[in-house]
Amino acid sequence: MKKIFRISVLALIIILMIAPAVSRAQGKVELSPFVGYMFGGSLNFYEGKLKAENNLNYGVVMDIKLATETQIELMWSQMSTTAQFEPYYGYDYLATNSYDMNIGYIQIGGVRELDYDKIRPFGVFTLGTTYFIPKNVTYEADDSEVDIDSAWKFSMTLGAGAKIWFTDRVGIRLQGNLMLPMFWSSSGFAVGTGGSGFYVGTGTSMVQGSFTGGLIFALGE
């Protein structure tokens, strides 16, 4: 919990510190806190499948105006959920009970808008990192504790949505995202006891998605 709190606070501080400086230098900045629903997804390993449950997510987006219809975007999003490792035949000893998992995205990318006055459809593409922080992991066989390390993975997102402005300063943002953390060859989740773990053999991604909505507050200009 302390690690999640530190990451969350750091991400928010970075975004909030950058916003005023960029607003003075570039013009309009949009801050958008949001909440939504995120699909947990699953990931195949040699030994079995890791499945994360769907749950609520939350975060904040900052869009910085570069041109009339182009913005640069910084985004932080997090979901607190449960996960479970379901082993294939022969790896039953690796089966876990359902345990807590925090999944978060820290991203930077570009936004392209279409300007229809108060309604502005947009598309967004970002690159960055995704963190997986498990806790309270136990084996199904005997309820003994499992020490699974946290993992940070390269990731990308694709999104589309619309910004609906009530005034020049306040609006709402509705968005859908496809989210892809990447697991390269021989990467996965390491287990602390005896150097064992769950590993992928070739590069793959964990497909996740989300639908979010939030307020927009415009600064600058």
Side-chain angles (χ1 to χ4, degrees):
M1 180 62 69
K2 290 182 179 180
K3 183 179 293 186
I4 292 297
F5 180 76
R6 288 197 296 268
I7 293 172
S8 302
V9 170
L10 178 60
L12 288 171
I13 288 174
I14 291 172
I15 290 175
L16 292 174
M17 287 181 64
I18 290 174
V22 174
S23 178
R24 289 191 296 270
Q26 298 286 350
K28 189 174 183 180
V29 172
E30 299 167 9
L31 281 176
S32 304
F34 64 82
V35 295
Y37 190 77
M38 186 169 170
F39 301 98
S42 61
L43 185 65
N44 291 318
F45 296 94
Y46 275 138
E47 304 88 348
K49 177 184 290 187
L50 177 69
K51 180 174 175 55
E53 297 299 323
N54 306 336
N55 209 344
L56 298 178
N57 70 322
Y58 57 90
V60 63
V61 171
M62 181 174 71
D63 288 347
I64 305 160
K65 183 177 179 181
L66 297 180
T68 303
E69 298 178 346
T70 304
Q71 298 169 315
I72 187 171
E73 177 166 298
L74 298 173
M75 185 270 284
W76 168 72
S77 172
Q78 180 172 288
M79 173 177 70
S80 297
T81 186
T82 57
Q84 187 169 13
F85 185 75
E86 301 171 352
Y88 298 138
Y89 179 77
Y91 295 98
D92 295 342
Y93 61 92
L94 289 177
T96 69
N97 294 308
S98 180
Y99 59 88
D100 298 326
M101 173 84 83
N102 288 288
I103 304 174
Y105 286 78
I106 301 174
Q107 301 280 301
I108 184 170
V111 180
R112 185 69 174 175
E113 285 188 354
L114 298 176
D115 190 352
Y116 295 114
D117 195 20
K118 297 298 183 182
I119 300 178
R120 299 182 182 177
F122 66 87
V124 58
F125 172 73
T126 69
L127 299 172
T129 187
T130 300
Y131 56 83
F132 299 84
I133 302 179
K135 57 182 179 179
N136 304 321
V137 188
T138 58
Y139 282 124
E140 190 176 68
D142 57 6
D143 292 327
S144 60
E145 293 186 1
V146 188
D147 183 18
I148 300 182
D149 295 336
S150 301
W152 291 75
K153 301 299 177 183
F154 171 77
S155 59
M156 64 180 67
T157 74
L158 293 168
K163 301 175 184 179
I164 304 170
W165 293 94
F166 304 129
T167 70
D168 291 340
R169 296 294 182 184
V170 179
I172 60 173
R173 175 181 177 132
L174 304 175
Q175 183 171 343
N177 277 317
L178 177 65
M179 312 164 90
L180 301 169
M182 301 295 179
F183 288 76
W184 309 119
S185 178
S186 299
S187 72
F189 293 91
V191 179
T193 55
S196 61
F198 322 134
Y199 295 95
V200 294
T202 58
T204 186
S205 62
M206 181 177 185
V207 180
Q208 298 185 295
S210 69
F211 294 99
T212 61
L215 293 173
I216 312 173
F217 301 98
L219 309 172
E221 285 193 349

